[in-house]
Amino acid sequence: MSTDNTGPAEREEHRRGPVVLRRGQIGHGTTDQRLLDMRGPSDWVHTDPWRVMRITSEFVEGFGQLAELPTAVSVFGSARTPVDHPEYTAGVQLGGALAKAGYAVITGGGPGAMEAVNRGASEAGGISVGLGIELPFEQRLNDWVDMGVNFRYFFARKTMFVKYAQAFVIMPGGFGTFDEMFEALTLVQTRKVTRFPVILYGVEYWQGLLDWLRRSVLDGGKIGEADIDLITVTDDIDDIVAQIVAAVPVTS
């Protein structure tokens, strides 16, 4: 039998903003005291509540930088595409064609196919945007980015790709490209975004994926025929631009 006759209302309780702490969770000092006291370890900058502020700052910086972009197209593709590869040449042509049609071009800001698209847009006098990401093995923003924002968090970066673009073009790529492609398709399928063309460049590269989607995923009842129709595949740069213009004309 407990000998503690202290009622619930009488027990010690500390509040930190909306957070209530009792019993063993109560610490020493107050939040502003810890803020003003410069002594002690700096581990607090790596805690989850502090990360929330960093996440918020990434959204604020991204929104602030990109809010005044004209109608834009996000283009994804491999960072490993060599400069002398035909896919790099196609990326330059695509970036230039989109810029000449009046679109801002947004890429992941890295090398390879991303660099090619930024290069084409910049050389054509368009707005060339790069949204970089902190990675252990890459990468600086390529030299053809005229407006760049670097991110720590993939999800904040992906929000910017979708929020400030009205179409996606997917060039041949790897896991990161697949992630961005299926993110776009999911948002269109669930009607989180509307009037949002998703166009894959490179029939030979993507045909195996499309065959699998039809044979295994569609035939298995995991998606519907209308979901397959969300994807367009072509080798024609002019056709890509024409489809985007028809779906999302440039607005001033």
Side-chain angles (χ1 to χ4, degrees):
M1 179 175 179
S2 174
T3 58
D4 182 4
N5 294 322
T6 303
E10 297 173 282
R11 291 195 179 108
E12 188 176 9
E13 178 177 287
H14 282 193
R15 294 178 180 271
R16 293 181 185 168
V19 178
V20 176
L21 302 173
R22 294 173 179 158
R23 293 178 285 278
Q25 297 303 311
I26 297 174
H28 298 288
T30 63
T31 301
D32 53 358
Q33 181 185 49
R34 286 187 292 274
L35 172 64
L36 297 171
D37 188 353
M38 297 299 294
R39 296 170 297 174
S42 60
D43 292 347
W44 62 275
V45 300
H46 304 295
T47 61
D48 285 344
W50 178 248
R51 288 190 180 100
V52 171
M53 300 302 295
R54 284 182 171 172
I55 291 166
T56 301
S57 73
E58 294 209 341
F59 281 108
V60 170
E61 290 292 336
F63 291 160
Q65 187 66 42
L66 303 175
E68 296 183 0
L69 279 182
T71 308
V73 176
S74 285
V75 184
F76 300 104
S78 176
R80 304 183 184 189
T81 303
V83 175
D84 58 354
H85 197 282
E87 290 168 5
Y88 187 98
T89 302
V92 174
Q93 294 171 349
L94 175 62
L98 289 169
K100 290 174 183 176
Y103 296 95
V105 174
I106 305 172
T107 80
M114 294 174 281
E115 175 187 290
V117 174
N118 285 131
R119 178 176 180 173
S122 182
E123 289 181 337
I127 299 176
S128 175
V129 180
L131 306 181
I133 186 69
E134 180 183 50
L135 295 173
F137 47 86
E138 316 177 344
Q139 69 208 36
R140 58 183 290 275
L141 291 174
N142 68 67
D143 292 335
W144 299 99
V145 169
D146 300 319
M147 178 190 299
V149 183
N150 279 304
F151 292 87
R152 287 186 178 92
Y153 300 100
F154 270 114
F155 57 85
R157 178 181 182 239
K158 287 166 74 174
T159 298
M160 304 303 153
F161 282 131
V162 175
K163 179 172 175 59
Y164 294 105
Q166 284 73 50
F168 267 5
V169 180
I170 319 294
M171 301 196 71
F175 287 165
T177 303
F178 301 158
D179 176 48
E180 290 147 353
M181 175 182 68
F182 282 111
E183 173 91 3
L185 289 170
T186 300
L187 291 171
V188 177
Q189 180 201 46
T190 56
R191 300 182 183 178
K192 296 293 186 181
V193 295
T194 57
R195 295 197 311 150
F196 203 96
V198 180
I199 304 171
L200 278 58
Y201 172 83
V203 174
E204 182 178 359
Y205 185 84
W206 294 111
Q207 192 59 54
L209 173 63
L210 294 177
D211 292 342
W212 175 77
L213 287 174
R214 286 192 173 277
R215 183 178 62 252
S216 297
V217 186
L218 178 61
D219 291 349
K222 304 301 188 295
I223 59 174
E225 187 70 41
D227 299 324
I228 289 288
D229 293 339
L230 297 174
I231 307 170
T232 300
V233 188
T234 181
D235 288 324
D236 190 330
I237 300 296
D238 292 335
D239 182 42
I240 291 174
V241 176
Q243 289 188 54
I244 294 172
V245 169
V248 283
V250 173
T251 57
S252 56

